[in-house]
Protein backbone atom coordinates (compact mmCIF):
# COMPACT_ATOMS: atom_id res chain seq x y z
CA UNK A 1 0.00 0.00 0.00
CA UNK A 2 1.36 3.42 -0.89
CA UNK A 3 1.84 6.22 1.61
CA UNK A 4 -0.91 8.26 -0.03
CA UNK A 5 -3.42 5.42 0.13
CA UNK A 6 -2.58 4.84 3.78
CA UNK A 7 -3.16 8.48 4.58
CA UNK A 8 -6.40 8.54 2.63
CA UNK A 9 -8.02 6.51 5.42
CA UNK A 10 -8.38 9.87 7.16
CA UNK A 11 -7.38 8.96 10.69
CA UNK A 12 -4.43 10.46 12.54
CA UNK A 13 -3.26 7.51 14.60
CA UNK A 14 -0.33 6.36 16.69
CA UNK A 15 0.65 4.02 13.88
CA UNK A 16 0.86 6.82 11.31
CA UNK A 17 2.91 8.98 13.65
CA UNK A 18 5.29 6.12 14.43
CA UNK A 19 5.71 5.21 10.77
CA UNK A 20 6.78 8.69 9.68
CA UNK A 21 4.26 8.69 6.81
CA UNK A 22 2.93 12.09 7.85
CA UNK A 23 6.38 13.62 7.51
CA UNK A 24 6.97 11.88 4.19
CA UNK A 25 3.77 13.23 2.69
CA UNK A 26 4.38 16.71 4.04
CA UNK A 27 7.77 16.62 2.32
CA UNK A 28 6.20 16.09 -1.11
CA UNK A 29 5.97 19.09 -3.48
CA UNK A 30 3.32 21.45 -2.15
CA UNK A 31 3.19 19.53 1.10
CA UNK A 32 3.61 22.29 3.63
CA UNK A 33 6.92 24.06 3.42
CA UNK A 34 10.17 23.46 5.24
CA UNK A 35 9.97 20.53 7.61
CA UNK A 36 11.79 19.91 10.83
CA UNK A 37 14.13 16.93 10.84
CA UNK A 38 14.19 14.35 13.63
CA UNK A 39 17.19 16.07 15.18
CA UNK A 40 15.32 19.36 15.48
CA UNK A 41 12.24 17.63 16.86
CA UNK A 42 14.29 15.72 19.44
CA UNK A 43 16.16 18.84 20.48
CA UNK A 44 12.90 20.74 20.98
CA UNK A 45 11.55 17.88 23.10
CA UNK A 46 14.69 17.71 25.22
CA UNK A 47 14.82 21.47 25.79
CA UNK A 48 11.13 21.73 26.64
CA UNK A 49 11.16 18.81 29.08
CA UNK A 50 14.41 19.71 30.83
CA UNK A 51 13.88 19.43 34.57
CA UNK A 52 10.23 18.31 34.19
CA UNK A 53 9.14 15.20 36.09
CA UNK A 54 7.50 12.67 33.78
CA UNK A 55 4.95 11.54 36.36
CA UNK A 56 2.85 14.70 36.27
CA UNK A 57 2.65 16.01 32.70
CA UNK A 58 -0.47 17.90 31.66
CA UNK A 59 -1.11 18.93 28.05
CA UNK A 60 -3.47 21.77 27.17
CA UNK A 61 -5.96 20.70 24.51
CA UNK A 62 -7.82 23.39 22.61
CA UNK A 63 -8.57 21.65 19.29
CA UNK A 64 -8.06 18.12 18.03
CA UNK A 65 -6.14 17.07 21.14
CA UNK A 66 -9.49 17.21 22.95
CA UNK A 67 -11.19 14.65 20.73
CA UNK A 68 -8.18 12.72 19.39
CA UNK A 69 -5.35 13.01 21.93
CA UNK A 70 -3.51 9.87 20.69
CA UNK A 71 -1.78 9.40 24.07
CA UNK A 72 -3.42 7.69 27.09
CA UNK A 73 -5.25 10.21 29.28
CA UNK A 74 -5.12 9.57 33.04
CA UNK A 75 -7.18 12.64 34.04
CA UNK A 76 -8.80 15.63 32.41
CA UNK A 77 -9.94 19.04 33.65
CA UNK A 78 -11.72 21.92 32.01
CA UNK A 79 -9.36 24.87 32.35
CA UNK A 80 -8.70 28.42 31.20
CA UNK A 81 -5.41 29.81 29.97
CA UNK A 82 -4.70 33.54 29.81
CA UNK A 83 -2.56 35.34 27.24
CA UNK A 84 -3.64 33.23 24.26
CA UNK A 85 -6.81 32.56 22.30
CA UNK A 86 -8.00 29.74 20.03
CA UNK A 87 -7.60 30.78 16.39
CA UNK A 88 -7.82 29.29 12.90
CA UNK A 89 -4.50 30.88 11.99
CA UNK A 90 -2.54 28.07 10.32
CA UNK A 91 -2.88 27.12 6.66
CA UNK A 92 -3.03 23.36 6.00
CA UNK A 93 -2.07 21.73 2.70
CA UNK A 94 -1.58 18.19 4.04
CA UNK A 95 -3.79 17.19 6.98
CA UNK A 96 -7.07 18.97 6.23
CA UNK A 97 -6.36 20.65 2.93
CA UNK A 98 -4.35 20.47 -0.26
CA UNK A 99 -2.01 22.70 -2.23
CA UNK A 100 -4.88 23.67 -4.57
CA UNK A 101 -7.42 24.12 -1.77
CA UNK A 102 -5.72 24.89 1.56
CA UNK A 103 -7.56 24.29 4.80
CA UNK A 104 -7.29 25.92 8.21
CA UNK A 105 -5.96 24.51 11.46
CA UNK A 106 -6.24 25.78 14.99
CA UNK A 107 -3.45 27.14 17.14
CA UNK A 108 -3.11 29.27 20.23
CA UNK A 109 -2.37 32.82 19.13
CA UNK A 110 -1.27 35.73 21.29
CA UNK A 111 -3.83 37.74 23.24
CA UNK A 112 -7.01 37.14 25.21
CA UNK A 113 -7.81 33.84 26.90
CA UNK A 114 -8.83 30.32 25.97
CA UNK A 115 -10.96 27.66 27.63
CA UNK A 116 -9.88 24.13 26.88
CA UNK A 117 -9.10 20.79 28.47
CA UNK A 118 -5.99 19.89 30.44
CA UNK A 119 -5.09 16.26 29.76
CA UNK A 120 -2.81 14.39 32.15
CA UNK A 121 -0.58 12.06 30.17
CA UNK A 122 -0.92 8.43 31.26
CA UNK A 123 0.64 5.15 30.23
CA UNK A 124 3.77 3.29 31.27
CA UNK A 125 6.13 4.80 28.69
CA UNK A 126 5.79 8.57 29.08
CA UNK A 127 8.99 9.25 27.16
CA UNK A 128 7.60 7.38 24.15
CA UNK A 129 4.27 9.18 24.43
CA UNK A 130 6.06 12.54 24.46
CA UNK A 131 8.03 11.56 21.36
CA UNK A 132 4.79 10.74 19.52
CA UNK A 133 3.26 14.02 20.68
CA UNK A 134 6.25 15.94 19.30
CA UNK A 135 6.04 14.09 15.98
CA UNK A 136 2.40 15.08 15.78
CA UNK A 137 2.72 18.74 16.71
CA UNK A 138 6.26 19.70 15.70
CA UNK A 139 7.03 17.99 12.39
CA UNK A 140 6.61 21.28 10.51
CA UNK A 141 7.66 23.63 13.32
CA UNK A 142 4.24 25.29 13.20
CA UNK A 143 4.04 25.54 16.98
CA UNK A 144 6.18 26.65 19.89
CA UNK A 145 5.94 24.38 22.95
CA UNK A 146 5.28 26.55 25.99
CA UNK A 147 4.50 25.90 29.65
CA UNK A 148 1.43 27.83 30.74
CA UNK A 149 -0.67 28.15 33.88
CA UNK A 150 -4.06 26.49 33.45
CA UNK A 151 -6.76 27.71 35.85
CA UNK A 152 -9.56 25.41 37.01
CA UNK A 153 -12.07 25.11 39.85
CA UNK A 154 -9.83 22.37 41.28
CA UNK A 155 -6.81 24.65 41.38
CA UNK A 156 -4.13 25.78 38.97
CA UNK A 157 -1.75 23.47 37.19
CA UNK A 158 1.19 23.77 34.84
CA UNK A 159 0.40 22.53 31.35
CA UNK A 160 2.21 22.15 28.07
CA UNK A 161 0.63 24.19 25.28
CA UNK A 162 1.47 24.36 21.59
CA UNK A 163 1.40 28.01 20.56
CA UNK A 164 1.38 29.33 16.99
CA UNK A 165 4.83 30.01 15.57
CA UNK A 166 4.30 33.29 13.76
CA UNK A 167 7.63 32.93 11.96
CA UNK A 168 6.57 29.87 9.96
CA UNK A 169 5.27 30.23 6.37
CA UNK A 170 1.92 28.57 7.17
CA UNK A 171 1.02 31.13 9.84
CA UNK A 172 -1.57 33.41 8.22
CA UNK A 173 -3.22 35.11 11.18
CA UNK A 174 -6.97 35.54 11.36
CA UNK A 175 -8.66 35.58 7.98
CA UNK A 176 -11.91 37.42 7.27
CA UNK A 177 -14.83 35.14 8.18
CA UNK A 178 -15.89 34.87 4.54
CA UNK A 179 -12.50 33.48 3.51
CA UNK A 180 -12.29 31.23 6.57
CA UNK A 181 -15.72 29.76 5.80
CA UNK A 182 -14.71 29.14 2.20
CA UNK A 183 -11.67 27.13 3.30
CA UNK A 184 -13.40 25.28 6.11
CA UNK A 185 -16.36 24.24 3.98
CA UNK A 186 -14.42 23.08 0.91
CA UNK A 187 -10.92 21.93 1.87
CA UNK A 188 -10.02 18.28 2.37
CA UNK A 189 -6.74 16.47 2.95
CA UNK A 190 -5.02 13.36 4.22
CA UNK A 191 -7.01 13.22 7.47
CA UNK A 192 -10.41 14.17 6.11
CA UNK A 193 -12.38 17.31 5.41
CA UNK A 194 -11.78 20.64 7.06
CA UNK A 195 -15.49 20.84 7.84
CA UNK A 196 -15.31 17.56 9.75
CA UNK A 197 -12.38 18.96 11.76
CA UNK A 198 -14.51 22.00 12.61
CA UNK A 199 -17.47 19.80 13.56
CA UNK A 200 -15.40 17.52 15.77
CA UNK A 201 -13.76 20.45 17.51
CA UNK A 202 -17.14 22.07 18.21
CA UNK A 203 -18.50 18.76 19.51
CA UNK A 204 -15.40 18.08 21.61
CA UNK A 205 -15.65 21.47 23.25
CA UNK A 206 -19.36 20.96 23.92
CA UNK A 207 -18.70 17.67 25.74
CA UNK A 208 -16.71 19.67 28.29
CA UNK A 209 -19.25 22.49 28.50
CA UNK A 210 -17.11 24.92 26.50
CA UNK A 211 -18.74 27.33 24.06
CA UNK A 212 -16.50 29.18 21.63
CA UNK A 213 -18.59 31.78 19.78
CA UNK A 214 -16.17 32.01 16.86
CA UNK A 215 -16.01 28.24 16.31
CA UNK A 216 -19.79 27.96 16.69
CA UNK A 217 -20.40 30.86 14.30
CA UNK A 218 -18.13 29.47 11.60
CA UNK A 219 -19.77 26.05 11.89
CA UNK A 220 -23.25 27.54 11.66
CA UNK A 221 -22.40 29.37 8.43
CA UNK A 222 -20.66 26.33 6.92
CA UNK A 223 -23.61 24.06 7.70
CA UNK A 224 -26.02 26.60 6.26
CA UNK A 225 -24.04 26.79 3.02
CA UNK A 226 -23.97 22.98 2.84
CA UNK A 227 -27.75 22.79 3.25
CA UNK A 228 -28.29 25.45 0.60
CA UNK A 229 -26.01 23.60 -1.80
CA UNK A 230 -27.85 20.36 -1.14
Amino acid sequence: MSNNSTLSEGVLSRELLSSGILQQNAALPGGGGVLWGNEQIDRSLTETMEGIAHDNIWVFGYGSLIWNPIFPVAQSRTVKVYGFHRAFCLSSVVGRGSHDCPGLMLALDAGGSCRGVALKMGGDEIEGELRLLWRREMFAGSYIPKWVTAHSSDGNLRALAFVANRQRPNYIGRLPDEEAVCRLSTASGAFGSNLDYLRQTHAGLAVHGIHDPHVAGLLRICESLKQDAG
Side-chain angles (χ1 to χ4, degrees):
M1 182 179 290
S2 70
N3 289 348
N4 284 336
S5 60
T6 302
L7 276 174
S8 68
E9 295 175 6
V11 178
L12 178 59
S13 65
R14 297 172 64 88
E15 291 72 25
L16 283 178
L17 289 171
S18 298
S19 70
I21 290 175
L22 178 60
Q23 288 87 342
Q24 293 170 27
N25 278 261
L28 295 173
V34 180
L35 299 181
W36 276 24
N38 288 332
E39 185 176 337
Q40 265 184 301
I41 293 174
D42 291 343
R43 183 166 60 250
S44 170
L45 172 57
T46 299
E47 291 174 351
T48 304
M49 298 306 300
E50 185 176 1
I52 303 297
H54 283 190
D55 61 347
N56 191 36
I57 297 174
W58 293 80
V59 181
F60 180 59
Y62 53 85
S64 62
L65 279 172
I66 295 175
W67 45 268
N68 185 26
I70 299 297
F71 59 83
V73 176
Q75 297 180 46
S76 66
R77 294 184 192 175
T78 301
V79 297
K80 190 171 187 178
V81 168
Y82 293 92
F84 300 95
H85 65 281
R86 183 173 19 251
F88 281 103
C89 59
L90 298 179
S91 183
S92 172
V93 296
V94 177
R96 297 283 179 169
S98 66
H99 184 65
D100 295 329
C101 186
L104 287 176
M105 301 298 288
L106 286 168
L108 284 181
D109 209 356
S113 62
C114 180
R115 292 186 70 206
V117 182
L119 308 167
K120 186 176 182 181
M121 187 172 283
D124 298 326
E125 299 292 338
I126 298 298
E127 187 172 342
E129 300 299 342
L130 284 167
R131 193 171 297 113
L132 279 182
L133 179 63
W134 249 255
R135 284 195 176 192
R136 168 187 175 141
E137 303 295 334
M138 297 300 296
F139 76 94
S142 299
Y143 300 98
I144 298 172
K146 184 177 180 65
W147 292 100
V148 299
T149 300
H151 303 260
S152 80
S153 58
D154 296 318
N156 299 344
L157 54 88
R158 194 183 190 199
L160 175 66
F162 290 93
V163 175
N165 185 346
R166 291 187 168 191
Q167 304 305 311
R168 299 299 286 175
N170 63 327
Y171 174 81
I172 55 176
R174 177 165 176 168
L175 297 176
D177 283 357
E178 183 178 350
E179 186 175 348
V181 165
C182 180
R183 288 196 182 208
L184 290 165
S185 60
T186 59
S188 184
F191 301 127
S193 73
N194 215 185
L195 180 54
D196 189 49
Y197 173 82
L198 176 61
R199 286 169 173 158
Q200 288 178 299
T201 298
H202 181 264
L205 292 170
V207 166
H208 295 275
I210 300 171
H211 175 69
D212 185 311
H214 187 54
V215 171
L218 290 174
L219 179 59
R220 184 170 55 252
I221 298 171
C222 287
E223 297 288 23
S224 177
L225 290 174
K226 186 177 177 63
Q227 290 179 359
D228 291 344

